[in-house]
Amino acid sequence: MTIRTLSFLFLLLSSLTLQAQVQDSSYIDELKEEISILKTTELIQSMSQRSEIMPSYHTELKALIAKQAYDFWVENEGEKYVSHKNVYAALYYANKYLNYDSTTFQSYNQVMAHSESVVSLKFGPDSSTFYSAGSDGRVLKWNLNDIKGIPTVLYQGDHLIKSIDVSHDGQILMITSKSDGIFFVKTKDILSEGETISHDPELVQNATFFPNEYKYLTVNQSGQIRIKGFNVDSTLNRSNNQAVNTIMIDESGKEVFLGGKKGQLEIINDRSDSSYFIPELFAINALAISPDKKLLAIGREKGDAVLYDLEKKKIKRIISGHQSAVTDVDFSNDNQHLLTASRDATTRIWDINNSRVMPLILDDHEDWVFCAKFTPDGKRVVTGSKDKHIRVWTIDFEQLADRICQLVDRNLTADEWDEYVGDTFSYQETCPNIEN
């Protein structure tokens, strides 16, 4: 073997050794980065939970820990499949007790204007206005941007209200009662008690307006589908005789979905009348169609929500997590999230496309949640409960975090930082806008 060959082999071995060392060094750096991310995630979880369980009389400390956990969470590069749930809970309850009225036990996002259960909520075309109906027979009109303001009473009667709906142009409100038929009122008029512009006395199981028309559809007590309106009154017999809990009409107005007490989904159009059998039949309490018209959400008595693919005509996913019946469902306008309300006193927000993501849990009602809706901008959720309260939940993390710094008047002390953060991060001001 020549000297030249030996020299070449030596250079090759040196090169391979150097590459291995570089690769080992790179691998070690990656491991260190992963460990740092995991340690930060653990710290975020710990801080969020400590904030949440902290007594409400430590208002500012509770809020500052939640805000600092949020800041670490935003900056951390780790997966947020679980941590977002804890960060949100900490931010929400921190905000709840800032400016909390301990005399009336009223928090910033809560109002009570109904004297009985809030059973139905509805948004119209005006994104700043929503309507609520209660077991007290009242229908109220609310300004979303002034939730603490006094609502307008649109209707007051001695009827047990099942649901409400708003016409496509926002001009007419339809009130479906349990034993007195359907009442219609104008949304812009303040009527005297019990006054209506129209009354359909036929007893119905449920009713809804057609999209983009003044026509409305009902299922009467005999199970017939009735289509009514100006110069319109037709009847369609169904092949299925199950009692109907909820109705949904697609945007074209050509396809009707009925959710029944026997757990069957009925799909009716001008060509067919069919029943889709869902595994493990449980009563269907709520239906919603996604804004992109691709999915139908089905809220069931079992406590789950079924996502039905309208294009492929099959179940896409069954979402489980509630401890009691699902009472309402709604889609966010970006088609990314599903809202479910339940008799377990919670409302949950699910990622539609990623089942690994834990839901946000809105859990501050004291009794069954009967109804829940996303606001049109998708940044808030409105809920109505058997506890007689309506809550407007901000689900934008940044808004909740910013509100904390608007309401506290100090930062964490050095000792508090050592107690709740430790030496993982050097001290920093949680709210730099506050003058010390």
Side-chain angles (χ1 to χ4, degrees):
M1 185 177 295
T2 65
I3 294 176
R4 178 176 296 180
T5 302
L6 287 172
S7 298
F8 172 76
L9 290 173
F10 176 77
L11 290 173
L12 177 61
L13 180 61
S14 298
S15 175
L16 291 173
T17 302
L18 180 61
Q19 287 181 19
Q21 290 175 341
V22 169
Q23 288 175 351
D24 286 345
S25 175
S26 176
Y27 177 67
I28 290 171
D29 288 342
E30 289 178 7
L31 281 179
K32 287 181 178 179
E33 179 66 21
E34 287 296 322
I35 291 170
S36 176
I37 289 172
L38 289 172
K39 287 177 66 177
T40 301
T41 300
E42 179 69 18
L43 176 63
I44 292 165
Q45 297 280 61
S46 172
M47 291 178 67
S48 297
Q49 291 176 20
R50 292 183 75 178
S51 170
E52 190 177 353
I53 67 175
M54 183 169 289
S56 59
Y57 51 78
H58 290 306
T59 309
E60 288 196 320
L61 180 57
K62 184 182 183 75
L64 288 168
I65 295 170
K67 170 61 166 61
Q68 190 60 58
Y70 163 79
D71 289 343
F72 291 150
W73 177 74
V74 170
E75 297 166 1
N76 192 36
E77 295 182 359
E79 297 287 3
K80 295 176 169 56
Y81 293 137
V82 177
S83 58
H84 68 289
K85 172 179 175 290
N86 300 97
V87 171
Y88 178 81
L91 288 173
Y92 171 77
Y93 281 101
N95 274 274
K96 173 180 177 175
Y97 291 109
L98 289 169
N99 285 356
Y100 182 69
D101 188 336
S102 58
T103 303
T104 61
F105 304 104
Q106 294 286 305
S107 52
Y108 78 108
N109 72 326
Q110 173 189 27
V111 291
M112 187 176 75
H114 289 284
S115 59
E116 298 293 339
S117 303
V118 182
V119 297
S120 187
L121 292 167
K122 194 71 179 181
F123 276 89
D126 178 2
S127 61
S128 63
T129 301
F130 71 92
Y131 306 88
S132 66
S135 297
D136 55 6
R138 285 155 51 94
V139 177
L140 306 178
K141 178 181 179 180
W142 299 85
N143 181 351
L144 183 62
N145 300 319
D146 183 21
I147 190 61
K148 293 293 185 178
I150 299 174
T152 301
V153 179
L154 290 180
Y155 181 76
Q156 172 70 65
D158 57 359
H159 321 287
L160 184 60
I161 297 174
K162 296 177 66 174
S163 64
I164 55 175
D165 198 12
V166 184
S167 62
H168 65 282
D169 58 2
Q171 298 295 312
I172 306 296
L173 191 86
M174 179 168 63
I175 304 164
T176 302
S177 72
K178 185 174 183 180
S179 57
D180 294 284
I182 301 173
F183 300 87
F184 298 89
V185 299
K186 291 184 178 179
T187 58
K188 294 186 178 180
D189 291 349
I190 301 176
L191 304 177
S192 59
E193 185 172 316
E195 184 181 353
T196 63
I197 59 171
S198 181
H199 175 217
D200 180 349
E202 183 178 27
L203 300 184
V204 299
Q205 299 181 50
N206 222 300
T208 186
F209 274 117
F210 273 83
N212 306 315
E213 297 182 79
Y214 275 122
K215 294 189 305 184
Y216 62 100
L217 180 147
T218 73
V219 177
N220 64 19
Q221 297 290 64
S222 300
Q224 297 173 313
I225 291 178
R226 301 291 305 278
I227 299 173
K228 301 181 181 182
F230 183 71
N231 290 333
V232 177
D233 191 346
S234 60
T235 301
L236 173 66
N237 291 318
R238 296 157 53 217
S239 59
N240 194 321
N241 63 356
Q242 69 171 333
V244 173
N245 286 338
T246 183
I247 301 174
M248 177 64 59
I249 304 177
D250 76 338
E251 193 175 67
S252 70
K254 296 180 180 179
E255 201 157 40
V256 178
F257 302 88
L258 306 179
K261 291 186 178 180
K262 293 182 180 179
Q264 297 170 19
L265 171 67
E266 296 177 55
I267 304 175
I268 300 170
N269 54 42
D270 56 1
R271 298 180 304 279
S272 65
D273 173 8
S274 60
S275 295
Y276 182 83
F277 291 89
I278 301 173
E280 296 184 293
L281 293 178
F282 287 85
I284 296 172
N285 296 327
L287 297 171
I289 297 175
S290 62
D292 62 7
K293 318 300 183 298
K294 293 181 179 180
L295 294 175
L296 176 74
I298 305 164
R300 302 201 297 175
E301 189 73 17
K302 183 181 181 182
D304 60 11
V306 179
L307 288 178
Y308 178 77
D309 191 314
L310 292 170
E311 296 177 335
K312 298 179 180 179
K313 304 297 183 183
K314 68 177 184 178
I315 291 175
K316 174 182 179 179
R317 179 181 167 194
I318 296 179
I319 298 175
S320 301
H322 284 288
Q323 303 303 309
S324 189
V326 170
T327 54
D328 204 0
V329 290
D330 193 30
F331 285 97
S332 60
N333 276 349
D334 61 2
N335 302 293
Q336 299 301 307
H337 295 95
L338 177 71
L339 186 67
T340 57
S342 172
R343 289 204 293 265
D344 67 7
T346 73
T347 302
R348 306 187 182 212
I349 303 173
W350 307 84
D351 188 304
I352 291 174
N353 300 307
N354 191 341
S355 61
R356 296 175 63 192
V357 178
M358 291 288 287
L360 288 187
I361 300 178
L362 316 181
D363 62 353
D364 204 16
H365 279 295
E366 297 176 359
D367 214 323
W368 298 353
V369 182
F370 283 123
C371 43
K373 293 287 180 286
F374 279 109
T375 59
D377 63 6
K379 293 184 177 181
R380 287 177 285 182
V381 167
V382 183
T383 57
S385 169
K386 188 179 179 182
D387 66 11
K388 308 174 188 178
H389 288 107
I390 291 172
R391 287 187 181 274
V392 178
W393 311 74
T394 297
I395 54 176
D396 185 303
F397 287 68
E398 186 176 2
Q399 286 186 13
L400 288 173
D402 289 347
R403 184 175 182 270
I404 287 174
C405 286
Q406 293 168 9
L407 295 176
V408 299
D409 56 14
R410 72 176 184 89
N411 280 291
L412 292 170
T413 66
D415 288 341
E416 290 168 343
W417 186 275
D418 289 341
E419 170 69 19
Y420 296 101
V421 180
D423 57 6
T424 303
F425 294 93
S426 300
Y427 178 86
Q428 63 190 58
E429 292 183 339
T430 303
C431 297
N433 60 297
I434 297 174
E435 296 182 4
N436 296 322

